[in-house]
Amino acid sequence: MALLLLGQFMSVLDTNIVNVALPTVRADLGASGSGLQLVVAGYVIAYAVMLITGARLGDLAGPRRMFLLGLAAFSATSLACGLAPSTGWLVAFRFAQGASAALVTPQVMSMIQRGFTGAARARALSLYSAVIAVGVVVGQVAGGLLVSADLFGSDWRSVFLVNVPIGVAVLVAGPRVLPADGERRGGGLDPAGLAVLTPAVLLFVVPLILGHELGWPLWGWFALAASAVLFAAFVGVERRVVRRGGRPLVSGRILRAPGLTPAMLTNALGPGSWGAFLFTTTLHLQGDLALSPQESGLAFVPCAAAFTLVGLTWQRTPARWHRPLMPIGFAVAGVGYLFVGPLAGGGAPYEALTAVIGLGLGVIPIVMTAALAGVPPQDAADGSGLLLTVMQLGQVVGVATVGTLFLTLAEHDQSTRQAEYGTGWALAVVGLLAAGSALALLRRRPAPVRAAA
């Protein structure tokens, strides 16, 4: 489990660790504004596009083998990023690094789903969610520390090169520790579904990530419209695959798993508000509050600690409380968001507020447990890939919508503090919508928690 979580931690870390290094990347490589955007966004784009495919590859080749292969590719592409001679090469390697991460992450979920049952599975998923939360904060802090340290004159390159020794260590230990792959499933990759889903996700994610910086160009709106058409076409393609006796990328059996659909919606809204909160708060901390990158990263420690505390302790509460905790948690976060503006002056009250929000969002591991509870072990790879893709897209949408609102208000008022008022209300709406969708999960009678197999 430690090795799996370390692999997941590396994947999350590289989503954020590069942010504070961008000024030095610009100075060293002469990168343009759009080039810097692609250095950040390229990773996320490739990651989101490849997640479902990565899950299916793990199902076909075995999650243990694909985890190690993906980690080897991730380490190699991290080295390539660290040695990139120009902006163009760095952007290309970041896309490859994101695709490599998409091979690693679904295998973590699949091996948890297949290797643990009952209380042990819930505990493993809680650890998994805690690593995601902590990885975001550590990424922001570590990036600033590494760039400031300028190890061996590496400057910004150290934020990528740090992955290499960690990856090598996991690759050495992995074959000795990770469980052997069991029986593999057939059915192929569903090339028709892959050919439609990949551009659909790409056309959806790219304009949302780059839209604000580019002034929401017309091509972005056309891309979003085309993605909607392709998602509709994907449904038809998958139905055709089933009629022909093939195995679709997203099967109706998985979507019909008890509680999965409302859990997916909740898992998009909750993490979506989390991603938007981290994005906008970071800009405010380094804006009107004038904190350094390291200080702004450390400011999130109470929030991450509270998130982790709930994620690791919720299963110690009586079983009858588990499902009600989901809407209650998101409601707490939603109400907390309302005070983001009034307390935006910083200090202890602001830190306490971030902890309250972290406590509320700490129920995300419960949602993940509920989402996977009804998925059969043989569908673990496809279920985890779908769940992770929905979570990733939820965060992209959250940052694109709420983040754009924040940036627009900040530009209009020339103040990030003033922008926090409108942003807090928008975040509250998303949080309360997550609470509402979580209410649907209360309709299912909770399955009894079983001891670990």
Side-chain angles (χ1 to χ4, degrees), residues 325-337 360 431-432 434-436:
L325 281 175
M326 291 184 281
I328 291 173
F330 288 122
V332 167
V335 173
Y337 286 139
L432 294 176

Side-chain angles (χ1 to χ4, degrees), residues 353-416:
L353 175 63
T354 66
V356 170
I357 293 171
L359 282 173
L361 296 177
V363 301
I364 289 176
I366 313 179
V367 179
M368 296 178 67
T369 304
L372 293 172
V375 177
Q378 64 269 24
D379 292 327
D382 291 351
S384 63
L386 179 61
L387 183 64
L388 289 168
T389 300
V390 169
M391 178 187 293
Q392 186 66 38
L393 294 179
Q395 292 187 62
V396 170
V397 173
V399 170
T401 53
V402 180
T404 296
L405 173 65
F406 173 86
L407 292 169
T408 302
L409 292 174
E411 291 170 1
H412 180 269
D413 298 326
Q414 296 297 304
S415 168
T416 59

Side-chain angles (χ1 to χ4, degrees), residues 301-374:
V301 169
C303 181
F307 183 104
T308 304
L309 176 66
V310 175
L312 296 181
T313 60
W314 66 268
Q315 53 188 314
R316 299 181 184 177
T317 63
R320 65 180 182 276
W321 293 4
H322 291 173
R323 290 181 180 273
L325 281 175
M326 291 184 281
I328 291 173
F330 288 122
V332 167
V335 173
Y337 286 139
L338 293 174
F339 294 89
V340 164
L343 298 179
Y350 193 66
E351 290 296 307
L353 175 63
T354 66
V356 170
I357 293 171
L359 282 173
L361 296 177
V363 301
I364 289 176
I366 313 179
V367 179
M368 296 178 67
T369 304
L372 293 172

Side-chain angles (χ1 to χ4, degrees), residues 268-286:
L269 291 168
S273 76
W274 168 254
F277 172 69
L278 292 177
F279 176 77
T280 56
T281 304
T282 298
L283 294 178
H284 173 55
L285 292 173
Q286 297 184 36

Side-chain angles (χ1 to χ4, degrees), residues 87-130:
T87 305
W89 281 110
L90 180 57
V91 169
F93 292 143
R94 280 288 281 175
F95 271 91
Q97 190 186 35
S100 301
L103 297 179
V104 174
T105 301
Q107 318 320 325
V108 177
M109 290 281 282
S110 294
M111 283 191 271
I112 289 175
Q113 184 78 336
R114 296 178 180 186
F116 299 90
T117 60
R121 179 186 294 172
R123 176 77 171 175
L125 287 172
S126 295
L127 289 169
Y128 174 87
S129 297

Side-chain angles (χ1 to χ4, degrees), residues 239-262:
R239 289 175 177 172
R240 184 179 304 173
V241 171
V242 172
R243 287 196 299 268
R244 294 179 176 179
R247 183 184 168 201
L249 280 177
V250 180
S251 72
R253 182 177 66 251
I254 294 177
L255 294 176
R256 290 190 297 270
L260 181 63
T261 300

Side-chain angles (χ1 to χ4, degrees), residues 216-266:
W216 296 105
L218 186 60
W219 66 260
W221 297 107
F222 281 119
L224 289 173
S227 73
V229 174
L230 286 176
F231 277 122
F234 176 71
V235 175
V237 168
E238 295 299 88
R239 289 175 177 172
R240 184 179 304 173
V241 171
V242 172
R243 287 196 299 268
R244 294 179 176 179
R247 183 184 168 201
L249 280 177
V250 180
S251 72
R253 182 177 66 251
I254 294 177
L255 294 176
R256 290 190 297 270
L260 181 63
T261 300
M264 283 171 44
L265 178 60
T266 307

